[in-house]
Amino acid sequence: MDIRPILASLRRHRIPAMLIVLEIALACAVLCNAVFMISQRVASIHLPNAIDEAGIAEVTLNGTDPELAGSDIPRNLAALRGLPGVQAAAVVSTLPLSQNNWGWGFSTKPEDALTNRDSRNVSMYFLGSGGDAALGLQLRGGRFFNDGDYADSHFDKSPLPETHVVLVTRSLAEKMWPGQPAVGKTMYSMPHYYTVVGVVADVLRPYIGDVNSPANYDAAFFPMSAAGSKGALSHYVVRGAPRDRDRLVREAEQKLADLNPGGVAHGRSYAEIRRGYFADMSSMAWMLVLVCVVMLAVTAFGIVGLTSFWVNQRRRQIGIRRAVGASRAHILQYFQTENFLLSTGGVALGMALAFGINVYLMHRYEMARMPWFYLPAGAIALWLIGQASVLGPALRAAAVPPVVATRSA
């Protein structure tokens, strides 16, 4: 199709044409970045976590006497293990995504200071006896803790446990000893040192940063005896079949409340923990979806309105073209081509604007770089919306009889 008449017509209607181009450019820039941000949040919400999330229920018990933990914890666990449907029960210091993070710096060399760049900040999980089974940890090498490991571990004056064994996640093992088997290696935070006895599949930290953060799985597990825990073990984990989970939350909470009248027991499923952690992120994602929908609707209605205005303004032009032999298909093609040209100008400007906005967000808010394919995807979406929006006015223009169009001039 010859586009010269279209370009000539657009030059005579510079302001409406520029408005459409700018509207499409702005929509393209916002759409690309908004969809990228939505994808980032959805990816965060669905980050994998190698524990039995579907079957875990947690009861937090606070307000008890730490000096009595050596007798209270075994009694509480015995009662929880007696509940119908309980497959495993244990007490731990914290859970992934619970926001109760206990972090410390560790290195592979005893002489490294905590501030050394080779030291890694690691989230520490303290497991009571049976904690690996209650959480559903997945062993990738070595072994889990044995009874001797649990019995020998306790807190003294240091915030680090008095033990010499540790489990590490696979991600942490690969960072600390790249290309080497981690089992048997030693991690240091002098004067403490811990030998890796097992490697487990990646478990999220209690508090994570960006979805792309390489530190999200930097976690280590330490054994801890009930008597030596000094109040650090307060999260009772009960594992059962997913269909029993909600019932176990209620019964475990009631059981611990009955056994510890001076304490405060609060139960919830692990699904609630994950949902609560990502609640703000989920709300933000839905808000961005709403913004995208509204923005695209406004863009589409804008194209419809301006195109309808142009059709009315060009009734004489349409009539003349129909009178000299232009078919309805030619008129329809004319307006669709015109919209395609305007959309092309808009998305070209919009992609440049989208890239600039992403660079600004990267420097200002530490946002990740937007992959290149979001730009052509946004452009295609705007092209399709433009063609769909112009279809109605174009069909009305194509339906104008030549005689009526000539009389209306």
Side-chain angles (χ1 to χ4, degrees), residues 9 32 71 74 156 176 212 230 244 255 272 278 320 330 403:
S9 175
C32 291
S71 58
D156 194 359
M176 297 193 75
N212 294 316
K230 290 190 173 181
D244 297 329
K255 181 66 71 176
E272 292 178 88
F278 292 113
I320 293 173
H330 288 144
V403 174

Side-chain angles (χ1 to χ4, degrees), residues 34-177:
V35 171
F36 174 59
M37 292 168 71
I38 292 170
S39 69
Q40 290 279 291
R41 279 150 181 77
V42 171
S44 294
I45 293 171
H46 294 93
L47 275 174
N49 189 22
I51 62 174
D52 183 14
E53 293 192 6
I56 288 178
E58 177 224 30
V59 179
T60 304
L61 182 62
N62 294 312
T64 57
D65 186 352
E67 299 297 329
L68 301 178
S71 58
D72 287 352
I73 289 177
R75 179 201 61 195
N76 294 337
L77 289 176
L80 293 177
R81 288 166 182 153
L83 293 175
V86 171
Q87 299 172 356
V91 62
V92 300
S93 61
T94 186
L95 287 172
L97 303 179
S98 67
Q99 303 193 47
N100 178 26
N101 187 51
W102 192 322
W104 201 264
F106 292 94
S107 178
T108 57
K109 300 175 183 176
E111 64 272 17
D112 284 345
L114 294 180
T115 54
N116 190 296
R117 66 178 182 178
D118 292 331
S119 296
R120 293 198 172 275
N121 184 276
V122 176
S123 289
M124 296 189 296
Y125 291 93
F126 304 119
L127 305 182
S129 180
D132 53 282
L135 290 173
L137 297 180
Q138 301 167 21
L139 194 64
R140 291 292 181 262
R143 64 171 177 84
F144 285 126
F145 301 129
N146 55 37
D147 292 341
D149 296 330
Y150 286 112
D152 293 340
S153 181
H154 62 278
F155 279 117
D156 194 359
K157 297 180 180 179
S158 169
L160 294 176
E162 301 297 330
T163 181
H164 296 298
V165 293
V166 66
L167 298 173
V168 298
T169 59
R170 183 168 57 183
S171 288
L172 179 62
E174 291 173 350
K175 291 172 187 171
M176 297 193 75
W177 303 282

Side-chain angles (χ1 to χ4, degrees), residues 305-361:
L306 280 174
T307 308
S308 297
F309 175 75
W310 282 1
V311 168
N312 291 330
Q313 291 290 310
R314 299 177 187 174
R315 291 180 68 84
R316 175 180 173 77
Q317 178 185 352
I318 295 170
I320 293 173
R321 288 176 60 86
R322 293 295 310 277
V324 297
S327 65
R328 292 185 175 184
H330 288 144
I331 301 299
L332 182 66
Q333 189 179 17
Y334 175 92
F335 282 99
Q336 288 181 315
T337 303
E338 183 182 73
N339 178 268
F340 180 80
L341 293 174
L342 292 173
S343 298
T344 300
V347 298
L349 180 60
M351 286 193 290
L353 188 58
F355 178 77
I357 292 175
N358 179 244
V359 171
Y360 172 79
L361 293 175

Side-chain angles (χ1 to χ4, degrees), residues 355-402:
F355 178 77
I357 292 175
N358 179 244
V359 171
Y360 172 79
L361 293 175
M362 287 171 56
H363 289 89
R364 187 75 176 178
Y365 299 104
E366 298 183 352
M367 185 175 167
R369 180 180 295 279
M370 179 171 59
W372 65 269
F373 52 82
Y374 280 87
L375 299 178
I380 292 172
L382 267 299
W383 267 319
L384 293 176
I385 289 173
Q387 290 297 301
S389 301
V390 81
L391 186 59
L395 287 173
R396 286 197 297 274
V400 175

Side-chain angles (χ1 to χ4, degrees), residues 267-281:
R268 55 182 175 170
S269 67
Y270 191 80
E272 292 178 88
I273 295 176
R274 176 181 274 268
R275 193 161 51 244
Y277 186 90
F278 292 113
D280 292 342
M281 204 170 286

